Structures are given as C-alpha cells and as structure tokens.
Amino acid sequence: MNFTHHPYHLVNMSPWPLTSSLGALFLVSGLVNWFHFQDSSLLIVGVSSVLLSMVQWWRDIIREGTFQGLHSLKVQTGLQWGMILFIVSEILFFFSFFWAFFHSSLSPCVEVGSMWPPKGIDPFNPFQIPLLNTAILLASGATVTWAHHSLIHYAHTEAIQSLGFTISLGIYFTALQALEYFEAPFTIADSVYGSVFFVATGFHGLHVIMGSTFLLICWIRHEHGHFSIGHHFGFEAAAWYWHFVDVVWLFLYISIYWWGS
C-alpha cells in the first residue's frame, strides 16, 4: 500500500507532452509546406494534434486538481510561480518588438526615407478603432476583476455574468482587430513599419484569442462548480494573463498607434 508523506504532486506518466511536441513540429513544418507549396495537409494535422493534446492534457490537470485533490497548497504555490515566470517570459517576448520599433523610429535610416512613419505609409488614426479597442480591453480588465471578487464572495451568478462580459469583450476586440487588418492601407511587407506593426499587434491579437479561450474554460468550469474560495488558481492564472494582455495593449497603443503616427 502506498502512502504519501510529502505535499508534492508526482505526476503520472502522460503521452500529452510527446503528442504536443509532435503536433508543434507538424504545425511549423506544415506552415513552411503551405507557404512554399500551397499544401495545407500537414498543417491541418499539426493544428489538430496540438488542439487534441491541449484538450486532453487540460482534462487530466482539471481531474488531478479538482477531483483527486492533488494540488496541495505547496503545489499551488509552485503553479503560481510557474505562471509568474511564464508571464515574465512573455514580457521579454514583447520587449523585442518594442526594441525593434524604437530602434527604427527614433533614428530612421535613409532606407525608410529618414522619416517616421516611413514615406508612403499612411498610419491608422489612433483615435478611431485603436482607441475603441483600448476602451474595450480596459473594460474587460474591470469585468475580470469583478468576476474574481464575485468568486471569493460566493456570488456565483455575478461571477458567471462578469466572466461572460469579459469573454464577449475579448471576442469584440478580436473582431475589430480583424476589421482593422482588412482595411489597413499598408501590409506587413511595407518597410520596417509594416513588419513591426503586424508582428507586434498580430501576436497581441493571438494572445487575446488564447486569453479568451482560457477564460471560456474557466467560465465552463465555474458553471460546473470547480472553483471555491480557497481553490481557484485556474481562474487566477487566467485573470493574471488577461491583465498582462491589457497592459501590453496600452504600451502598443501609446507607442505604435499614437506616438508612432
């Protein structure tokens, strides 16, 4: 008979790290194959593998933490530090985009016409869709905080409503971003301005989509009673991630949309 004399969670053997790695390999290889040969079959296999691995891996973690009681306070502390370090890595990821932007904008070279924005680039008006998107994300930050306070004060219905508002605002933001891309007067190939703009805002948009999915999972879990006052780190991690997405957008709006225009 096995007895546990420590607060740590020694995870069981799982196939999902392997299937996720293979899925990522197929996804990247499939993208290259699609770009060069217009064949998307390997890309579809890669995306399907990653999504299926995510769903089943999350299912196992939810089962371990919610139903098997394996996420002790010590384990939750480790998870919190893991999420903090992940967000720090994301900050450094976006820092590289801001570095590229300011490197080019503060001292424009002759190749971009010695001016910023480069000659021939018609930037977006920062007081139209970008300002609306800023208001949307700030409002979503308020609603996700409302959801957190509702959860820790036993207000189940309010938590469901506020999480629903946050997810809806995230979807609205993504739709407006897609509309902005569709109407953009420049492309990713238009000098360093187009490259930095679409890479920085595109990766941020991808993070909004991931954050919205994260919150949607939390919404479903809360509907099924998975969270309590003392055991809801899954939701806290989603809220931390969402606030990070908010802050990054503020820097994008101030530097690229407003100052850079």
Side-chain angles (χ1 to χ4, degrees):
M1 200 171 175
N2 294 326
F3 295 96
T4 301
H5 298 287
H6 57 77
Y8 303 99
H9 175 206
L10 302 180
V11 297
N12 297 322
M13 293 183 65
S14 170
W16 312 131
L18 177 60
T19 58
S20 298
S21 301
L22 291 174
L25 173 64
F26 295 152
L27 192 154
V28 175
S29 304
L31 279 172
V32 174
N33 197 49
W34 182 39
F35 290 162
H36 287 275
F37 305 109
Q38 286 74 53
D39 181 8
S40 60
S41 55
L42 187 59
L43 175 62
I44 294 172
V45 172
V47 171
S48 301
S49 300
V50 169
L51 290 176
L52 289 172
S53 299
M54 285 169 53
V55 169
Q56 294 174 101
W57 203 346
W58 285 357
R59 177 206 61 190
D60 290 352
I61 293 173
I62 290 170
R63 181 188 296 130
E64 292 166 357
T66 305
F67 302 111
Q68 297 177 350
L70 297 175
H71 289 180
S72 63
L73 291 177
K74 181 70 74 173
V75 173
Q76 289 185 61
T77 300
L79 292 172
Q80 289 169 351
W81 276 108
M83 190 65 191
I84 289 170
L85 291 174
F86 170 69
I87 291 175
V88 169
S89 73
E90 292 279 56
I91 291 171
L92 297 176
F93 177 73
F94 278 97
F95 181 81
S96 63
F97 301 145
F98 287 110
W99 184 286
F101 175 79
F102 285 110
H103 174 80
S104 299
S105 61
L106 291 174
S107 182
C109 60
V110 66
E111 285 80 8
V112 296
S114 300
M115 58 184 295
W116 196 264
K119 188 175 182 180
I121 295 291
D122 182 20
F124 288 102
N125 185 337
F127 301 108
Q128 293 180 347
I129 288 181
L131 183 60
L132 176 58
N133 267 343
T134 302
I136 289 169
L137 276 190
L138 290 176
S140 71
T143 55
V144 79
T145 303
W146 173 23
H148 191 195
H149 282 276
S150 299
L151 192 154
I152 62 179
H153 288 93
Y154 296 103
H156 182 272
T157 302
E158 282 192 22
I160 291 293
Q161 292 173 346
S162 49
L163 261 180
F165 288 147
T166 308
I167 296 165
S168 300
L169 289 169
I171 295 172
Y172 187 28
F173 175 94
T174 304
L176 287 176
Q177 193 77 54
L179 175 64
E180 184 180 68
Y181 280 6
F182 181 76
E183 296 182 343
F186 54 89
T187 70
I188 194 172
D190 286 330
S191 79
V192 66
Y193 184 93
S195 298
V196 171
F197 175 86
F198 280 104
V199 170
T201 59
F203 270 112
H204 177 268
L206 181 61
H207 282 69
V208 171
I209 293 171
M210 292 189 296
S212 300
T213 305
F214 201 173
L215 290 169
L216 177 61
I217 298 299
C218 290
W219 186 81
I220 295 171
R221 292 187 63 193
H222 191 50
E223 278 276 20
H224 287 80
H226 288 186
F227 297 135
S228 65
I229 289 179
H231 194 89
H232 59 270
F233 176 68
F235 174 79
E236 279 187 335
W240 291 357
Y241 187 81
W242 195 255
H243 288 307
F244 158 74
V245 169
D246 286 349
V247 173
V248 169
W249 175 259
L250 287 177
F251 279 98
L252 283 172
Y253 175 76
I254 292 171
S255 59
I256 295 180
Y257 281 100
W258 180 58
W259 183 84
S261 65

